Amino acid sequence: MDKKDLIQYIETIADNSLILGQRMGELTGHGPTLEVDIACTNISLDLFGQVRSYFQYAAQLSNQEISEDDLAFLRQERAYKNVLLVEQPNRDFAYVIARQFLFDHYHFLFLKHLQNSEDETLAAIAKKSIKEVSYHKRFSSDWIIRLGDGTEESKQKIQTAVDDLWQYTQELFEPNEAEKAAEEKHIGVDIVSLQAEYTQNVGKVLQEATLTQPDLKFFQRGGKKGIHTEHLGYLLSDMQYMQRTYPNMKW
Amino acid sequence: MTIEEAQIDKELIPILEKVSDPEIPVLTVLDLGVVRFAKITKPNFVEVKITPTYSGCPAMDVIGDDITSALSENGYETKVDLVLAPAWTTDMITESGRKTLEEYGIAPPMDAVSDKKALLGEEQVVKCPQCHSTNTKMVSQFGSTACKALFKCHDCQEPFDYFKCLI
Ligand SMILES: [Zn+2]
């Protein structure tokens, strides 16, 4: 596979972890309880760690013409290829959990298949990451059940968050050009094929949580092409502040 | 896992044994099993390969630096590379490392099946490192560092860390 295309693919898959990691990191010191605060920041740390492996690989492919820090901190908004789901803000704890839950179940299936990539480095990153993501998935699924099958208020809040964020889930299974090219070369994952299992797995947890699986006809998309919701700009200005103020810092 | 399996030159072992994990200082980097390769490839030149425990583990950079400075004190120039494959597992912690962990107050990782039962709250199998009771309860899957879960003992009432199983 052409190195430039491979870097594009790496950006597409790593940006999801980067932006979600930043969102979870925003909870540092603001989690509802100490344990949950620590859990959210641990998840953030895992995600950043994965991004670092991806970006170090991309930097290596570019013959160090771009650095991991350039990729993380110095791109313009349009160059980020993350799905819209992960950039949605921390409106309340229900949103934090619903966003994590909807992404974790995708992320787990994605990594399960990326382990078989013909690209050795990507396969190794996937093998490492999937162990961490299985903890994330357990954490978010447990909370979906606890909130859904909890009090009247917690149920109403988590249902609202799931209903609202559901419109961003279809995009997970719609490949952009880089993903299509990588899949053809057996380097990337055939994400279209993941949807049936995803819907089933997510449905099982929602059912146990006594929640209703949303039934939507219209979905939001665009992140993978660089067209984002208004929330990403604010997130980036926060995330890129240090690097732009003190150029050439290392993360 | 033994040190022999990890391809480490014998004469480097005493030096590496003095380098400890910055987050769990009683554990050496050899006990932790993160050093996969350490060989003198040229006169006074050592190549080292380390593997991260968790992807985001901030200790890895420090471990790399500590290894470099320990070796340089002994007259070696060092090149440290981070390798991802084979991925680190808790099985790579040595037997003496597991004992040290427990004495230090961290419950060592169990096998995968027991670990899952413990973290899902199905069975009380994690032993309190203080009083050895298994009358313990998980407080949070995520603890003070990426590799640990937080537990509490119902008998001695002490909270403690459990080193999560990673296979
Ligand atoms: Zn006890």
Side-chain angles (χ1 to χ4, degrees):
Chain A
M1 192 170 177
D2 187 86
K3 275 190 186 174
K4 237 177 149 180
D5 290 344
L6 185 51
I7 292 174
Q8 289 264 320
Y9 181 61
I10 294 168
E11 286 175 9
T12 299
I13 61 180
D15 283 348
N16 286 334
S17 295
L18 177 68
I19 302 303
L20 187 57
Q22 178 69 16
R23 278 283 183 239
M24 289 305 257
E26 287 171 11
L27 290 168
T28 313
H30 299 280
T33 65
L34 183 60
E35 287 78 14
V36 173
D37 187 296
I38 291 172
C40 291
T41 44
N42 262 293
I43 290 172
S44 172
L45 184 64
D46 284 343
L47 292 169
F48 282 137
Q50 295 161 13
V51 174
R52 230 187 136 184
S53 300
Y54 284 127
F55 283 174
Q56 279 169 348
Y57 181 39
Q60 185 195 326
L61 288 169
S62 79
N63 289 322
Q64 310 299 335
E65 270 176 36
I66 39 169
S67 72
E68 47 179 303
D69 290 282
D70 294 342
L71 285 169
F73 298 119
L74 291 177
R75 281 180 289 156
Q76 301 291 329
E77 180 175 344
R78 281 287 179 110
Y80 286 84
K81 299 290 156 50
N82 60 281
V83 291
L84 301 178
L85 174 67
V86 297
E87 70 198 40
Q88 298 310 304
N90 301 333
R91 292 182 199 278
D92 62 20
F93 184 60
Y95 271 84
V96 170
I97 291 300
R99 183 186 60 210
Q100 193 64 34
F101 167 71
L102 293 172
F103 183 71
D104 286 345
H105 277 266
Y106 164 80
H107 200 192
F108 184 81
L109 290 176
F110 170 78
L111 292 172
K112 198 170 122 188
H113 289 267
L114 190 66
Q115 293 182 93
N116 304 324
S117 169
E118 286 185 12
D119 184 288
E120 276 178 24
T121 309
L122 290 182
I125 296 172
K127 281 200 183 97
K128 179 98 212 134
S129 309
I130 195 168
K131 299 172 180 183
E132 297 155 3
V133 171
S134 63
Y135 277 110
H136 304 172
K137 180 164 72 94
R138 203 187 290 170
F139 170 80
S140 60
S141 300
D142 281 356
W143 270 105
I144 288 282
I145 294 164
R146 203 185 294 188
L147 295 174
D149 198 11
T151 66
E152 207 176 299
E153 189 187 1
S154 71
K155 178 172 184 158
Q156 178 257 315
K157 285 194 163 169
I158 193 68
Q159 184 72 61
T160 302
V162 170
D163 287 349
D164 191 17
L165 294 176
W166 195 261
Q167 61 183 316
Y168 302 109
T169 52
Q170 181 63 31
E171 188 185 17
L172 292 165
F173 307 101
E174 294 175 346
N176 66 12
E177 293 309 315
E179 286 175 299
K180 278 183 205 155
E183 194 230 319
E184 270 170 30
K185 296 281 190 313
H186 303 285
I187 283 171
V189 174
D190 174 13
I191 50 176
V192 177
S193 73
L194 306 180
Q195 190 163 14
E197 199 179 345
Y198 174 84
T199 311
Q200 202 183 4
N201 294 352
V202 162
K204 254 204 299 220
V205 179
L206 290 176
Q207 196 181 12
E208 198 183 335
T210 72
L211 295 171
T212 312
Q213 186 158 339
D215 182 21
L216 272 190
K217 299 274 180 300
F218 297 101
F219 290 90
Q220 302 289 344
R221 47 177 68 86
K224 285 185 178 182
K225 293 197 168 82
I227 300 162
H228 293 278
T229 58
E230 69 274 26
H231 308 295
L232 186 68
Y234 294 100
L235 180 149
L236 292 180
S237 66
D238 199 16
M239 189 175 83
Q240 298 188 339
Y241 171 80
M242 282 292 270
Q243 184 62 240
R244 292 196 186 275
T245 311
Y246 304 100
N248 303 319
M249 285 187 73
K250 290 204 162 136
W251 71 343
Chain B
M1 243 301 295
T2 61
I3 288 168
E4 289 72 44
E5 287 169 50
Q7 303 193 38
I8 297 170
D9 277 352
K10 274 213 173 61
E11 58 233 87
L12 298 175
I13 290 175
I15 302 169
L16 294 171
E17 265 173 349
K18 295 210 175 67
V19 181
S20 56
D21 178 331
E23 281 172 351
I24 312 170
V26 290
L27 217 56
T28 75
V29 291
L30 295 181
D31 283 337
L32 189 61
V34 293
V35 182
R36 312 301 307 154
F37 181 97
K39 279 186 185 299
I40 303 167
T41 51
K42 277 184 287 187
N44 302 320
F45 185 85
V46 180
E47 274 183 47
V48 180
K49 292 190 168 80
I50 54 176
T51 185
T53 51
Y54 279 71
S55 306
C57 182
M60 292 321 292
D61 287 336
V62 181
I63 288 176
D65 290 349
D66 287 352
I67 289 176
T68 305
S69 71
L71 287 165
S72 94
E73 277 167 30
N74 286 274
Y76 294 107
E77 220 185 292
T78 312
K79 178 172 173 276
V80 180
D81 283 320
L82 202 62
V83 292
L84 291 174
W88 183 83
T89 75
T90 35
D91 289 343
M92 292 180 184
I93 300 177
T94 62
E95 202 44 52
S96 81
R98 299 172 59 89
K99 272 203 200 99
T100 313
L101 272 178
E102 189 161 13
E103 283 160 16
Y104 186 59
I106 299 172
M110 295 178 297
D111 63 281
V113 178
S114 314
D115 180 86
K116 204 169 171 206
K117 283 181 181 157
L119 293 182
L120 291 176
E122 285 170 9
E123 238 176 79
Q124 294 180 322
V125 278
V126 175
K127 232 175 31 178
C128 166
Q130 263 84 243
C131 74
H132 307 293
S133 162
T134 50
N135 187 13
T136 60
K137 183 179 179 277
M138 186 184 73
V139 180
S140 174
Q141 275 168 23
F142 297 89
S144 54
T145 63
C147 54
K148 287 177 264 167
L150 187 62
F151 273 69
K152 146 176 153 191
C153 174
H154 289 309
D155 281 337
C156 71
Q157 306 296 332
E158 289 287 326
F160 66 91
D161 276 334
Y162 165 63
F163 205 116
K164 281 187 279 195
C165 172
L166 202 63
I167 52 148

